[in-house]
Amino acid sequence: MTTLWLFIIVSSVIALFWYSRQIAEAATRHAQHQAESLQVQLLSVACTKRRIGVLKNGKLGIKSQFMFEFSSDGESAYQGKLYLENERLVRKELPAYRVTS
């Protein structure tokens, strides 16, 4: 019986890690899409917050906040935020940035 519980716990941890990686890859895709639509250079993407909670659709899931850095002129860096529920982009926050011609 102990072996069964140990197997369930280890499997759950591995599944959670794997799903967290899928969410991080989705956040990177969303950040790349934002950079392309803004015509800026994407510098980095990092997870700043992750928790389990009730999503907008009423189901249980993972809520994540990612920070991404971008540059519009190659000299300065700006930080935006992406809010995800599971792999779906819910909201984004972008700072004012310099537009180059």
Side-chain angles (χ1 to χ4, degrees), residues 84-97:
L84 278 74
E85 289 187 348
N86 288 338
E87 297 178 31
R88 200 179 110 235
L89 181 64
V90 176
R91 187 177 67 164
K92 60 187 172 192
E93 292 178 3
L94 297 170
Y97 62 93

Side-chain angles (χ1 to χ4, degrees), residues 22-62:
Q22 287 180 341
I23 292 171
E25 289 173 9
T28 303
R29 285 192 306 272
H30 290 301
Q32 287 172 345
H33 177 70
Q34 291 300 318
E36 289 172 5
S37 66
L38 298 172
Q39 297 178 350
V40 296
Q41 178 185 10
L42 180 64
L43 301 176
S44 66
V45 180
C47 182
T48 56
K49 198 182 291 185
R50 180 175 292 146
R51 65 184 176 93
I52 296 175
V54 178
L55 307 180
K56 288 184 179 182
N57 61 8
K59 297 181 181 178
L60 194 63
I62 298 176

